[in-house]
Amino acid sequence: MRHDGIRRAGRITVFVLASAALLGAAAGRQRIAAGARTAPARNGAPVTLLRPARVFDAEDGRAHEGWVVLVKGERIAAVGPALQVAVPAGAERIDLAGMTLLPGLMDLHSHIFLHPYNETLWNDQVLKEPLAYRTIEAVLHCRDTLMAGFTLLRDLGTEGAGYGDVSVQRAVREGLIPGPRLLVATRAIVATACYGPGPAGFAPDLELPKGGQEVSGTTEIIKAVREQIGHGADWVKVYADYRHGVGGNVPTFSEEELRTLVAEAHSAGRPVSAHATTAEGMRRATVAGVDTIEHGYGGTEDVFLLMAQHGVAYLPTLTAEEAYAEYFDGYKPGDPPTPAMKQALQAFKFAVAAGVTIGLGSDVGVYAHGTNYRELEWMVRGGMTPSQALLAATAVNAKIIRMPDELGRIRPDFLADLVAVPGDPTVDIRAVRDVRFVMKGGVVHKRPSGS
Ligand SMILES: [Zn+2]
């Protein structure tokens, strides 16, 4: 995220991804599973048969009419045409008439410790909302996210809330609260005096708490990476550029600093996410070896080609630009795009043309949690087909977080993270606004009334 002077928020990305952290979710205390009804099979694992109108399995981009999915315990046991799936006696049947069943959606750029800036400006969230209050908000945001069909978030920085994300992740994993699987980045790493709140706009002698962990030079970078990973960061997030000096956004770290950061994170098995909105910031991050680049609004054709060559994935965060336009530029939904929104869409098109791996990452938190579907709609406006956008949110995102054999597709032995929407989202992406069924790790969190 980011903040403009006193008004915009900062973006922080650090992420380490640990399958174990995610997989632990299903093994927890299961307090939130109390409302789920599943039938015990002979060996004890509950078995559920899901009967939608069609299944988007994220294997081939198609919605398969007449397919069903069998879930056993926390994993998918079978998927295919109804007549070809053997259903054990005693299986619970859930009818999802008229609906399409999809893999659980994922958003790889969120901030559960933020809420929309037209409610509270970013500076005020960081400076005036106590950590306990922000944590309560984060808990509610997790619930809203899961109920909207997003079963995994990569949360790219707490924006001044320290290591609070590690505790929220733990509470979800242990079943204390409902929420998506969480990959967390903790504090995020920013260059000294290059991130808010301030220093510009405040008395120069004020020592303000920061939205990220400030560092300069390779020694401090190594220390910060070690601290964050030691405290539980699944990803390391770095701000490769930001507003600084006189010319707006500029690179804030040298290539050497970024290489050091990446080497230290990778040495610990943690991938790196870089906030970058300038072509030079994106270039430095790419050659330094980061794993994902966020935003990329000012990316050129050349820099997206470089990302494709280096295998750096892109999370476009198109909805954030719409939200900023609404909050600060008088934009209303349906208006012609503002210059900033046009630039973001142009970057998205460059990335598609360059063959960059594009996942779904929206910067939700800048706008309301639980409305992540807006990013799918923007990706379609940017030229993707609905199926391509759905694949980005599922199979492609699973690959980006290095869990391509556990999540993101509907196939046997994958984790049973499944959602259903009315109609066919491969025909009209707006169907994802209305998620009626949510299962995470085989546990039903939302079901259609009457089923
Ligand atoms: Zn962000």
Side-chain angles (χ1 to χ4, degrees):
M1 47 184 334
R2 78 179 188 227
H3 51 88
D4 271 357
I6 53 169
R7 310 206 295 180
R8 290 201 175 171
R11 290 177 190 194
I12 292 184
T13 311
V14 173
F15 109 138
V16 174
L17 91 81
S19 305
L22 294 175
L23 296 176
R29 280 174 259 177
Q30 299 291 340
R31 296 185 193 180
I32 49 177
R37 292 182 286 125
T38 43
R42 277 187 196 150
N43 68 358
V47 177
T48 308
L49 179 70
L50 304 174
R51 298 195 294 188
R54 60 195 75 78
V55 172
F56 179 86
D57 59 0
E59 297 280 7
D60 54 9
R62 293 194 300 129
H64 301 273
E65 300 285 337
W67 280 24
V68 298
V69 173
L70 191 71
V71 174
K72 185 173 180 182
E74 65 172 337
R75 290 184 185 267
I76 294 163
V79 54
L83 291 174
Q84 294 175 21
V85 172
V87 182
E92 185 197 3
R93 290 160 194 269
I94 298 179
D95 283 320
L96 302 167
M99 296 186 202
T100 302
L101 191 74
L102 312 156
L105 302 169
M106 307 181 205
D107 190 334
L108 300 192
H109 190 137
S110 69
H111 297 280
I112 59 171
F113 281 85
L114 290 175
H115 58 102
Y117 307 160
N118 60 346
E119 297 172 3
T120 308
L121 293 173
W122 183 87
N123 272 350
D124 290 339
Q125 294 189 39
V126 175
L127 295 174
K128 298 179 182 173
E129 293 181 352
L131 177 58
Y133 180 86
R134 295 187 73 188
T135 305
I136 291 166
E137 288 189 308
V139 167
L140 299 176
H141 297 155
C142 283
R143 176 202 63 191
D144 293 348
T145 302
L146 183 63
M147 294 311 157
F150 282 75
T151 54
L152 184 145
L153 295 179
R154 183 181 60 149
D155 202 63
L156 292 181
T158 58
E159 307 284 345
Y163 293 106
D165 51 356
V166 177
S167 287
V168 176
Q169 178 192 57
R170 173 181 169 180
V172 172
R173 192 186 300 159
E174 292 180 348
L176 295 176
I177 59 169
R181 301 175 192 274
L182 288 172
L183 293 166
V184 299
T186 72
R187 302 176 63 192
I189 294 173
V190 299
T192 304
C194 291
Y195 200 65
F202 290 85
D205 49 353
L206 272 181
E207 287 290 335
L208 295 167
K210 288 293 168 183
Q213 184 170 3
E214 291 190 328
V215 296
S216 286
T218 54
T219 302
E220 289 185 12
I221 284 171
I222 290 170
K223 183 164 181 279
V225 171
R226 287 178 183 162
E227 283 176 358
Q228 294 188 4
I229 292 174
H231 284 87
D234 299 306
W235 281 71
V236 173
K237 181 177 181 185
V238 61
Y239 281 72
D241 55 29
Y242 214 71
R243 287 188 311 281
H244 188 61
V246 293
N249 287 295
V250 294
T252 49
F253 285 110
S254 69
E255 218 174 285
E256 185 199 4
E257 287 175 313
L258 291 173
R259 284 186 198 279
T260 300
L261 181 145
V262 170
E264 185 60 30
H266 284 180
S267 169
R270 298 313 200 196
V272 176
S273 155
H275 164 114
T277 62
T278 68
E280 176 60 11
M282 294 166 73
R283 189 197 66 76
R284 290 186 195 179
T286 298
V287 299
V290 305
D291 300 279
T292 68
I293 287 181
E294 318 297 316
H295 318 302
Y297 304 136
T300 58
E301 290 174 276
D302 284 349
V303 85
F304 280 113
L305 285 167
L306 188 71
M307 283 173 62
Q309 284 164 12
H310 285 253
V312 179
Y314 178 46
L315 288 313
T317 67
L318 300 171
T319 312
E321 282 296 10
E322 182 187 37
Y324 294 131
E326 285 176 25
Y327 304 156
F328 307 120
D329 296 329
Y331 170 86
K332 303 229 172 5
D335 285 355
T338 62
M341 290 166 66
K342 279 187 196 160
Q343 187 192 31
L345 279 172
Q346 182 59 63
F348 182 77
K349 288 170 184 172
F350 284 156
V352 171
V356 176
T357 297
I358 302 175
L360 184 144
S362 74
D363 221 358
V364 67
V366 171
Y367 67 98
H369 291 280
T371 63
N372 316 58
Y373 62 80
R374 289 170 61 178
E375 187 72 10
L376 285 154
E377 297 182 7
W378 272 109
M379 293 168 94
V380 171
R381 288 186 197 110
M384 279 188 169
T385 65
S387 289
Q388 288 170 331
L390 291 167
L391 288 171
T394 55
V396 175
N397 270 359
K399 188 175 158 202
I400 292 171
I401 60 166
R402 302 170 185 190
M403 297 186 72
D405 300 319
E406 296 272 12
L407 291 171
R409 288 177 289 165
I410 302 179
R411 61 157 61 183
D413 295 329
F414 274 47
L415 288 164
D417 289 9
L418 300 163
V419 302
V421 300
D424 185 348
T426 68
V427 174
D428 185 347
I429 196 65
R430 289 174 297 181
V432 295
R433 294 178 179 185
D434 185 16
V435 170
R436 303 271 180 93
F437 172 82
V438 177
M439 171 182 273
K440 191 188 84 177
V443 175
V444 177
H445 290 272
K446 186 179 196 178
R447 64 172 70 212
S449 51
S451 75

